[in-house]
Amino acid sequence: MMNRLIAATSTFEGPAIQWFKISPILALLGGALFLILVGSLTPQWKRGWYAATSVVTAITAAVLTGVLWSQIGDDKPSTLVGGALAFDHFALFATFTICVSVALASLVVNDYLTREGEDGPEVYGLILAAAIGGVVMVSANDLLVLFLGLETLSLSFYLLTASSRSRTQSGEAGLKYFILGGFASAFFLYGVALLFGASGTTNLQTMATVFAGEVAVTSNNGLLLAGIALLLVGFAFKVSLVPFHVWTPDVYQGAPTPITALMGSVGKVAAFAALIRVFMTALPSRIDDWRPAILVLALLTLVVGSVLAVVQTDVKRMLAYSSISHAGFILVGLEAAAHIGNADAHLGISSAMGYLFIYSVLVIGTFAVVSVVAGQGDNATTLDAFKGLGKKRPVLALGMTVLLLAQAGVPLTSGFVAKFGIIRSAVSVESYALAVAAMIAAVIAAFLYLRIMVSMWLSDPADDAPVSISKSAGLAIALAVALTLLIGIFPSGIISQSLLAIL
Amino acid sequence: MFASAEMTTASFPILTMLVLVPLLGAVLVSLLSKNHGEWVKLAALVSSVTTGAMSVWMLVKFPTGAAGFEFVSKHSWISEWGISWHLGVDGISLFMVVLTGVLFPLVIVGIDPHHDHKSYLAWMLLLEAGVMGSFLSLDLFLFFVFFEIVLVPMYFLIGGWGYEKRVYAATKFFLYTMAGSAFMLVGIVATAFLARRDTGALTFDLVEIAEKATFATGTGRWLFVAFMIAFAVKVPLFPLHTWLPDAHTQAPTGGSVILAGVLLKMGTYGMLRFGVYLFPQAAIWAKPVLLTLAVIGILYGAIAATMQKDLKRLVAYSSVAHLGFIVLGTFAMTTQAITGGVMQMVNHGVSTGALFLLVGMIYERRHTRQISELGGIQAVAPIFAGFFMIVMLSSIGLPGLNGFVGEFLVLIGSFETARWWVVVATIGVILAALYLLWAYQRVFHGEPSDDNKSFPEITLREGLLLSVFVAAIVFAGVYPKPMLDRIEPSVKALIEHVEASK
């Protein structure tokens, strides 16, 4: 017995690793290690250098992703590291989105940290760690690998949420996020265990093959259904779908504003891409079981998110609820994708991915403005703080207006392209009711963006506290606004690329 | 036929310029420094006057008797979705484009916003680009883009330069219209997808879909309803009209003139272009309901107008009634009725636009719009009263003035296909005379009170501005033939299209 074990161990061969194909992860890892190790061994760097390292790392990873993107055309989609990671356009699109988000958000974080006098390498290291977790999640082809990515992402986010030393709400939010997030991870892991019980594997493709066979399904039906349900609960918490959303407003409000931007972008992209991949790859044979659940979650999320957003008085809470409503929109795309057999079903996934990219840019831009307005102490985030911004800082207010109009889905902004894509995918599979519900939710949510615009343009300043914009935050906002308008007017690029990002 | 048989891709892309010039003007105005007020005004003036001149030039060049789309310009925009920059003008949109082109420079020159000229002018020009685009688009997606983008400048114009309850009114306007558009967007996408069977590839091209695609009876009806909700809010049709009195009353004078003059027409125009043209069978099916709503609107608007204490609100409610006549003509679906309806769109734009201008002038002088606080103005400002009288009579529909031609054509054209609705609607004509004459009597007749004794007479600038409106009113009333000759062929083609679908 013992001998056999030893023999097995000694003949163990690691999987062949195609290093270049995982280079985005390696680049992010290198950047994170460099910041943590070198950063802690050297005296305080000059202002902006930590952020610059983070931005350069993210851009490097994004460029590598771009190179790999064009390479897939020659080598068909495949799996890496012994089937642990998937290598396809879907994963690369999400990876690219994450890298762009990290680069943009790092600029905002720089502004925040220097303003608060807390500049250091740790926050950037954690951001890059979160990005690694996110990239692993979007490429994971195995539920356990997915869980590793999820935990890497989540743990980094718990710490980042609590990272403000001067604001007590930050620590409170971090603890809240940690406890509830731990619950969700447990749900997720239990779901993985049950699915493993039902199928005998954690690999997504193998699982799909097993479930497609009659035998496994009839004998393990209970395990399978419970597993799907628990998995869905875990994901629903991570992407904050109603009724698993209650943590979102508190955590979004409590976290340092640039970190909130990161949660709204990197966190959403990673969890949504993983959700889509797991359900579309491993569980297509059980679509009739989970599609109704997605439909109900989408409706609830759209309506509750929009309605509750309207009654808030704190801009960060408003945007938290609006992010819930946006999650509902993305879910409409997944619902459309779940109409397997319909020739247009693939539009659902590509429109959801396009939405995630566009929304990531929007949410970082929007929170960057909130962060700038919040000022020293990161506290002025009520609607009153935005009063008279149009008079104090007309250009900043104009940028915010563009971002808000885009979130509302007004034409000639990227938000309209995103919404149109989702509506198009829903209509093409004849989910008319869901499409109409999504649009009505968008109208309700529009009221919230109008409220912020009214504060900025049509109210007199509540005080004469000056609003100062640093170069890095200004650059992040300018880039976000430019992308928003560019995609809005010339959407062909993102549409054609996202059409490739399917499973 | 409607199919652009003569794809006269003119050497000069005049329609594209009609959209781009005000847009560039808006960009230019917002880039200029606030300290150079004169430059800002000059830039706005030049771009709006250029647009107006181009629209008049287009009118002159427009071949009388042509039924199809002229000056067509078509370029691929989002090829992945089959969306193109497709603009064209026919008899139905021709005068709306000219009205837009002429009205904007008049408003920009003639009405002083009092503060923040720079942003006011930038929003105005952006609004002009959006309205132009809406009337010219021959692509469903493009139309939606313009239809929706119009909300943003109008929202800021009402919210930034309006009266006491401006924020409330602006928000209500934005949300109402956006809610209507939500249905239309789903309808547009569904139309394109369902038409794909007949058109081959996915396309949002209006002409292609209308000529090639046929929809199953039930599907066509749903799609028609989805479009109609958006237009009914915009027109506004009873019972979706409640945003209008607020928006009109609270908007600055310039905003009200544009709102009444061209923005509301985007609804009635949309009904013709995207309702009747795309879904002729469904339009016939929905006829009784829409005619009934139109007639209710006529009566309700008139009665509500009679009750108003606020002069501006009175004019706003009169709009609800007048737009009811246009909808009545549209869905009576005879050549005469629709021609009258299109004519009435222009007439209402001119006369109600002028009425809002006059009410704005009264407010400038007296800082009140309450009818009870006015009175006896005719004695102190007879020329002003004269202008008001002519415009008001045009609104009532006095023969010899423009209002009569349109209203009469609508009623006579609708009589054969919608007899009883016409009978009831005629009461609305009488009520119009009642509320407007009564208002005139209370505001202008009698002895002026102390406050009204110092009511200043009309200034030269105001007089010149109003003269343009009065000239249009009299010309279209006495000699409407040139207008009708250009509208009718396109309407005939539309009716043939509807007949062919039966």
Side-chain angles (χ1 to χ4, degrees), chain A residues 344-401:
Chain A
D344 291 316
H346 68 281
L347 292 175
I349 298 179
S350 66
S351 63
M353 295 313 282
Y355 200 110
L356 282 168
F357 179 84
I358 288 169
Y359 178 66
S360 295
V361 174
L362 281 181
V363 82
I364 294 176
T366 314
F367 275 112
V369 178
V370 176
S371 175
V372 166
V373 172
Q376 184 73 37
D378 203 23
N379 280 324
T381 57
T382 56
L383 206 49
D384 287 343
F386 280 79
K387 278 192 177 164
L389 191 66
K391 294 203 176 70
K392 283 197 238 170
R393 285 281 184 177
V395 179
L396 182 71
L398 197 63
M400 183 68 164
T401 305

Side-chain angles (χ1 to χ4, degrees), chain A residues 344 347 398 401 405 408-412 416-417 419-421 423-424 427-428 430 432 435-436 439-440 442-444 446-447 450-451 453-454 457-458 488-493 495-496 499, chain B residues 77-81 83 116 123 141 144-146 148-149 152 155-156 159-161 166-167 170-171 174-176 178-183 185-186 188-191 193-194 196 202 204 219:
Chain A
D344 291 316
L347 292 175
L398 197 63
T401 305
L405 288 175
V410 170
L412 299 183
F416 178 64
V417 177
K419 289 218 159 73
F420 189 84
I423 295 299
R424 175 169 176 261
V427 166
S428 66
E430 298 182 1
Y432 298 119
V436 170
M439 284 311 297
I440 294 194
V443 175
I444 302 173
F447 180 57
L450 288 183
R451 278 186 73 192
M453 287 199 281
V454 166
W457 293 106
L458 309 178
I489 298 170
F490 303 106
S492 283
I495 295 167
S496 57
L499 275 175
Chain B
W77 179 24
I78 310 173
S79 51
E80 287 80 4
W81 288 346
I83 293 163
D116 292 334
W123 288 127
F141 183 93
F144 185 83
V145 165
F146 285 122
E148 192 86 338
I149 206 78
V152 178
Y155 170 79
F156 279 104
W161 288 267
R166 57 184 180 272
V167 173
T171 308
F174 193 101
L175 292 179
Y176 258 69
M178 198 175 171
S181 311
F183 292 92
L185 182 65
V186 176
I188 284 177
V189 181
T191 304
F193 263 91
L194 295 169
R196 192 168 49 169
L202 180 67
F204 284 85
T219 322

